[in-house]
Amino acid sequence: MQNRRAAILPILLLSVLGASFFGVLLMLRHSSNRVYNLTLATGGKNGQYYAFGETLAKVVNHHHPKIQLKVLETDGSLENIELLNQNKAQLALVQSDVPLTLSIQLVSYLFPEVFHLVATRNSGIQTVSDLQDKQIAIMPEGSGSNQLFWQLSQHYGFTTGSFEAIPFAPDDAYTALKNGYVDALFRVLTLGTSGMTQLLQSGENILVPIDQSAALQLFQPALETSEIPRGTYNGSIPIPPDNLQTVSVRALLVTREDVPELVIHEIAKTLFEARNELVTLNPQAALIRQPESLQELGFSFHPGAKRYYTQDDPSFLERYAEPIGLGISTTVLVGSALWQFKLWLQRREKNRADLHNMEILNLLDQIPKIDDVDHLEKFAINSSNCLKRWWLSSIAIAFLLSLFSPLVLPGRLPLLPFVIGRLY
């Protein structure tokens, strides 16, 4: 019975191992054939987020047919965060000033978005403070631009009763300013867009500087000091006529933490290694940059993105090759010296043993010559001294040889000077 059990046990073990192996193979095959359908929350159809989202989806789908991105029109950053939290979207474009929940992680920094405050020439608005008692077209509620406008106005001491802020869709806001329904327009967007260019080239509107960026950063660290370069919106008659101080915020591509690492790694890879295709379809892609630090602004990067950004970092061995080499060389030299010392001790032990043997033989030769008490006492003293020297020498040699055992070395080191003294 016991022999039968002993024969069955290996068969069962082999069966379990075989089943596990084929299970892993099936999982890998299923993973390699899986198509990932993800929703990318962007912004309004006429806005930059939606346009960039379509560009990203097209290029990603081209390079990775098993990653299908569906572009979703939304009202902007705040709604996009809600869609991610509800798992109605797996990727989203948001502004860097929008707070992220713990379940949302960063994929990449995108292009900078610049504060544009545009006023009609006859409005008398030359600074932000001149918005008092004016009518201002702002972006829809739920958009990043809308939220940033209220942060800006609060910094300048405005309240909701200081002016009339009217939410519009982007195109409707441009129309309202052109037709004189409002005195000014505020929008956060990238430089050089066609709608803003047409608005400023009409000659009826001007750009208003925002010159307190450093103070604004104290309350909103995601903001960056920026400027609109001279001639951005017209070169022959420069618009603006000089570099214009303003503030910017950076667009981000974010994702849910439960999106597979492989998928996010390939999307991050596409952003930087298919840059030419992205720029051809959307020039704003030229402004995308890799993070200087994975702790920049305190964002948590998705593991897939982190793996892409750190792939060129030197390995542990590469980073510490020189100190490791020095340590190995030093260890070899010290080990060689200790080995030679051990051999010396062993030779010394043999020499001392030979010397003691000779002393013992001499003592044995003296025994027949003992003929009185004086000779006997002298023989006893010589014998005692010989045995004492032999005993102390043997202990000392044994002790020193035992030091080569790392388990006993620390406890015996304090006795080392005494023992060496016994040898000389």
Side-chain angles (χ1 to χ4, degrees):
M1 189 69 177
Q2 290 181 348
N3 291 337
R4 180 180 294 178
R5 288 180 179 176
I8 292 175
L9 184 58
I11 296 174
L12 290 175
L13 289 175
L14 288 174
S15 300
V16 171
L17 289 173
S20 301
F21 176 74
F22 285 108
V24 171
L25 286 181
L26 288 173
M27 289 176 62
L28 291 174
R29 183 177 179 183
H30 173 73
S31 177
S32 63
N33 293 328
R34 179 180 175 182
V35 175
Y36 298 92
N37 294 292
L38 307 176
T39 298
L40 171 60
T42 57
K45 272 199 173 181
N46 296 323
Q48 296 167 292
Y49 280 12
Y50 190 88
F52 181 78
E54 287 197 316
T55 296
L56 180 61
K58 183 175 181 179
V59 176
V60 169
N61 295 347
H62 172 70
H63 286 275
H64 307 285
K66 294 179 181 178
I67 302 176
Q68 297 294 315
L69 298 184
K70 175 187 175 183
V71 180
L72 179 66
E73 179 185 8
T74 70
D75 287 333
S77 296
L78 296 180
E79 183 183 357
N80 293 350
I81 295 295
E82 288 299 319
L83 291 171
L84 286 174
N85 288 330
Q86 298 167 11
N87 201 21
K88 293 180 179 178
Q90 293 72 48
L91 291 160
L93 301 177
V94 299
Q95 289 176 344
S96 59
D97 64 297
V98 176
L100 305 181
T101 60
L102 293 176
S103 62
I104 299 176
Q105 296 177 328
L106 185 60
V107 178
S108 176
Y109 294 103
L110 300 178
F111 39 81
E113 297 184 279
V114 180
F115 286 27
H116 285 69
L117 179 58
V118 183
T120 59
R121 288 191 179 276
N122 58 8
S123 65
I125 299 173
Q126 298 293 324
T127 67
V128 177
S129 300
D130 294 332
L131 294 178
Q132 180 74 37
D133 299 327
K134 303 295 183 180
Q135 291 183 314
I136 308 156
I138 60 175
M139 295 301 102
E141 294 182 6
S143 66
S145 289
N146 183 289
Q147 187 177 22
L148 286 170
F149 172 78
W150 290 113
Q151 291 181 15
L152 178 68
S153 62
Q154 184 179 14
H155 172 73
Y156 279 88
F158 293 126
T159 63
T160 53
S162 301
F163 44 64
E164 185 180 2
I166 309 171
F168 285 100
D171 287 346
D172 293 338
Y174 291 167
T175 300
L177 188 66
K178 290 177 184 176
N179 294 335
Y181 298 148
V182 293
D183 301 300
L185 175 149
F186 178 83
R187 191 181 181 190
V188 180
L189 73 168
T190 56
L191 296 174
T193 59
S194 58
M196 185 61 66
T197 299
Q198 293 174 11
L199 198 65
L200 293 170
Q201 287 184 355
S202 68
E204 300 294 327
N205 308 297
I206 61 170
L207 283 164
V208 178
I210 302 173
D211 57 1
Q212 296 188 24
S213 58
L216 286 165
Q217 284 178 303
L218 296 176
F219 306 98
Q220 180 50 268
L223 300 181
E224 302 174 10
T225 300
S226 187
E227 65 179 17
I228 301 176
R230 180 176 186 265
T232 296
Y233 292 101
N234 194 44
S236 57
I237 303 175
I239 302 176
D242 298 294
N243 292 344
L244 189 82
Q245 289 187 330
T246 186
V247 182
S248 65
V249 67
R250 192 164 287 272
L252 308 175
L253 176 62
V254 297
T255 186
R256 289 175 54 87
E257 64 177 352
D258 56 3
V259 176
E261 180 177 330
L262 173 65
V263 174
I264 299 304
H265 177 272
E266 295 305 317
I267 292 175
K269 180 179 179 181
T270 301
L271 282 170
F272 296 97
E273 298 185 16
R275 174 72 63 87
N276 291 339
E277 294 177 58
L278 291 169
V279 172
T280 300
L281 297 173
N282 191 316
Q284 301 302 330
L287 301 174
I288 298 175
R289 64 173 177 83
Q290 288 197 29
E292 296 177 2
S293 167
L294 294 184
Q295 285 76 40
E296 193 170 342
L297 292 178
F299 290 116
S300 173
F301 279 83
H302 190 280
K306 189 182 297 184
R307 181 158 64 90
Y308 176 74
Y309 296 133
T310 58
Q311 64 183 350
D312 294 329
D313 289 354
S315 65
F316 177 84
L317 290 177
E318 291 173 332
R319 187 181 295 113
Y320 298 105
E322 290 188 8
I324 289 174
L326 178 61
I328 292 174
S329 299
T330 303
T331 302
V332 170
L333 290 173
V334 172
S336 177
L338 290 174
W339 182 255
Q340 292 300 321
F341 181 61
K342 180 180 180 181
L343 294 177
W344 176 81
L345 285 175
Q346 291 173 337
R347 290 194 299 269
R348 189 176 184 86
E349 181 183 21
K350 183 179 181 303
N351 293 335
R352 284 182 175 273
D354 293 342
L355 179 62
H356 291 311
N357 289 336
M358 292 179 62
E359 288 181 340
I360 292 172
L361 290 174
N362 289 332
L363 288 172
L364 292 174
D365 289 341
Q366 294 177 17
I367 291 175
K369 300 177 182 180
I370 299 174
D371 54 5
D372 57 28
V373 176
D374 291 338
H375 285 139
L376 182 60
E377 289 180 353
K378 185 177 181 181
F379 175 80
I381 293 171
N382 290 337
S383 299
S384 176
N385 290 337
C386 177
L387 290 173
K388 184 177 180 181
R389 288 194 300 272
W390 176 82
W391 181 75
L392 289 175
S393 176
S394 298
I395 292 177
I397 293 293
F399 176 87
L400 288 173
L401 289 174
S402 72
L403 290 178
F404 290 93
S405 172
L407 297 177
V408 300
L409 177 59
R412 295 186 177 180
L413 277 179
L415 299 175
L416 187 58
F418 169 78
V419 172
I420 292 177
R422 293 290 90 197
L423 292 173
Y424 294 96

